[in-house]
Amino acid sequence: MNIKHELQSFFKDFMTDLEGEISKSSPYEAFLDEYLKYFEFPSSPIYVEFYRPNLNVHVDAYSYDEDNNELYLFILELDEFLEIPEDITMTTLKEIANKAKRFFVQYNGITVDPSHPVNDLVSLLKDEANNIERLNIIVVTNKYYRTNKPIELTIKNVPTDVEIWDIDRLFQLISSQEETSTIVINFKEEFDQSFSLMKVPQLISTSECTQDQKSFDCYIGFIPAKLLAKAYDKWGPKLVERNVRSFLQARGATNKGIRDTLKDEEEKELFVVYNNGISSVARTGSLINSTKESNVFNIDSLQGWQIVNGGQTTASIHKAYKDGINLDEVYVQTKLTILHTSDTESSMLAEEEMVSKISKYANTQNKINQSDLLANTRFMSSLEHHSRTVWIPSQDNRKAESKWYFERARGQYMVDLNRRNRGKEQTDFKKEFPKDLLLNKVDLAKNFMSWEGYPHVSSKGGEEAFKKFMDQNKVFWQYKKNGSNELEELVEFTAQMYKHNIARVIINRKVQNVVNTMGLKGYKANVVYYSTSMLNQLHGESINLDEVWNKQNLSDKWDVVIREIAQKTLEFLRDSAGEQNVTQWAKKEQCWKQYVTECKQQLKYIY
């Protein structure tokens, strides 16, 4: 099957899934949500849908990374009626991106209805304009950007990046995750160059090794920067699919330092001194001992080579290479681990755990998402295990046919689906794991925290909610020492506990569905989180999580209650924020405490 046909098939499936989601919200919001299932941002995007044709300005959503002072503006280019991927030109995409740029530059002169959700973005810009260090314009389209040329926009005093997420990029992201273990890079044949590393000796002989100790060999040394850049130029994101970061653009202070060092003729030779280098893994390869008396090996080829730490270093070096910077005298510190694993499930799990630990322990330069680092904890593995084994109770006295699908890694569902042959195998998979029962770890965390009375934490986005969620559930994954200084056994995460977690998700989704029917303008996510928390505050004792799981629904009798709570919640958030940005106000614990104090008594008698 050629790539063109595969892309068309993927496009058809994507649009079918999107059609099902559009019934639950606006077409463009559903479209953005579909893309957000596969890539993450430090702060969850807030949907605003603001378009002024007379001013030629347009923003559909935004998010602000407070830690790095980066603003993301999203524009959605969706054609609901396409049957096959249609090309979109660089000129068109630049015109679209320019609309977001104009909004950023002209926001002070734009008159906005105070009730419009974009008002929060305007307020944010007024408060943070002098602090914003980078603007990222994200154009999301279901069309095909065939040329894939970079789009350059400039704004005085604010570095600006334009990213295009077309249907082909999404397709590549998903398909590449399936192929990482089969990639074979022959450095000698493809790039007429190999590199040498020194094998780290084992402390015990092979005959004395346990099976686990035999499962890897470790090599250290350096790789020519130009060779690394060439490999990345050819294989791109496939080399970094198991890296813990979602984005690999050369941005941030660390990457600016990389570029500055590479540009400086006097400093570039010191790159190997300044930079921590890369950590990588591979399944096997051609590693030839240069001399019998030495531990030095020539690395001619590698299968399944993955850079699990140092992805941003790699991307920065590649950018310098593409910009014509001479890398001939530049070397990158390198650690390579050969994982001698088989295709058995237990072996693959062991491999995933080792990769996760390498990512965690090797990385000291930049921030890593906790949700990525903790994906392989026993708790997350238990959640995944129960989601693959616990059937949903049948509602019509027939045998159970479906299960929820919990994703430990974003995009895992599509990878799992695409490993199966098209036709009956994929149809059976979708029947067992329906797409609408797909749940990722950060959404699970936000749903859990909102039900448990932390809507302000859920409002902060997936990462903050996940950290708090993991802390709340640390008995299932984090060992601690008792009075005798001995490690205590972890608490077992049972199938019953799993069902209660899913019940919380079902309640959140029920609240969201009711809120969607109300046509509220703005702050929908915050309204859902706060309304869910208040529902538990008022009526938690009357809502049985076992019953919610068994029925896979919260009774419709609660709809009136939810509507009343949601309406009051929206009014409270707007009125109590005063001059503050409403979205930022909703993230504060003070907001939640004030909400309970002012609204709980008023809402007590609505049932």
Side-chain angles (χ1 to χ4, degrees), residues 103-147:
F103 177 88
F104 181 81
V105 173
Q106 301 173 13
Y107 71 89
N108 247 329
I110 299 174
T111 304
V112 182
D113 182 337
S115 66
H116 196 290
V118 82
N119 219 33
D120 249 18
L121 174 56
V122 173
S123 174
L124 175 70
L125 287 170
K126 288 178 179 178
D127 293 341
E128 302 291 341
N130 294 328
N131 298 324
I132 294 174
E133 296 182 9
R134 181 170 293 276
L135 171 65
N136 305 289
I137 297 174
I138 317 292
V139 181
V140 183
T141 176
N142 66 332
K143 296 181 179 179
Y144 182 17
Y145 185 32
R146 192 180 296 272
T147 62

Side-chain angles (χ1 to χ4, degrees), residues 546-558:
D546 288 319
E547 182 180 336
V548 172
W549 164 262
N550 288 329
K551 297 293 185 184
Q552 289 293 293
N553 194 16
L554 178 65
S555 172
D556 291 344
K557 70 181 183 181
W558 295 104

